[in-house]
Amino acid sequence: MIGFTGRKLDDNLDMPKYINTNENIVYSKGSSLYGLDIAKNYSRNEMIIVEGNMDAIALHQRDIRNVVASMGTALTEKQARLILRYTKNVKIAYDSDAAGEEATIRGLDILNKLGADVRVVKYEGAKDPDEYIIKFGKESFLKQVKNSISLFEFKLENISRKYDLENISDKVKFMAEVLELLVKISNSAERDIYIKEISRKYSISEESIYLEIE
């Protein structure tokens, strides 16, 4: 044990959601992963990262044990390197609010740069994995894990929500941001797959996308 942690049980806005031991020589929140002592023994195929300790506990209680929590904060490089000691297949299941999605993107970028095969677990009808698994059960959560989406797909969804894609001006702005994502993909086969999907889904010709990239 390196410290104590707690989660508030009411909606008191004056109190943070999670309260942890103050950082010291032994305990550093950004260098630790809650539940790693157990999860490392079940992570041969993949590791699931959640945001809060209660999310990890709820999943472990339902025999999903390859789960760690980043202690209520965005994933750090030190935490990412800890995970990569045990597996390169990583799924992020952070909270579904705006703050959770921003933290997810930061964590995805860190893991991706370190060479992980990283995907995002999407779920609806609950604000976090703890609430989701209580409402919908273990099998439903595992289905969402199986259907997790790539880093590019997650960023694409986030960008698309910013714009009215029925509006020409907004659609042009949307594509400008999408092109920035596409040019960062070094694998040409992977890029081709996404271009085909974008062309189909948003009614933009593949030829025009390739021309803009060039």
Side-chain angles (χ1 to χ4, degrees), residues 189-204:
E190 181 183 0
R191 185 191 291 175
D192 285 347
I193 290 168
Y194 288 133
I195 288 173
K196 284 182 171 59
E197 178 62 17
I198 291 165
S199 174
R200 181 196 65 78
K201 188 171 183 179
Y202 299 104
S203 302
I204 300 167

Side-chain angles (χ1 to χ4, degrees), residues 24 31 45 49 77 86 94 111 125 140 173 180 189 203 206:
N24 53 57
S31 303
N45 295 321
I49 310 171
E77 185 172 330
Y86 305 101
Y94 273 11
L111 286 160
S140 181
K173 293 174 184 176
E180 289 182 16
S203 302
E206 292 180 37

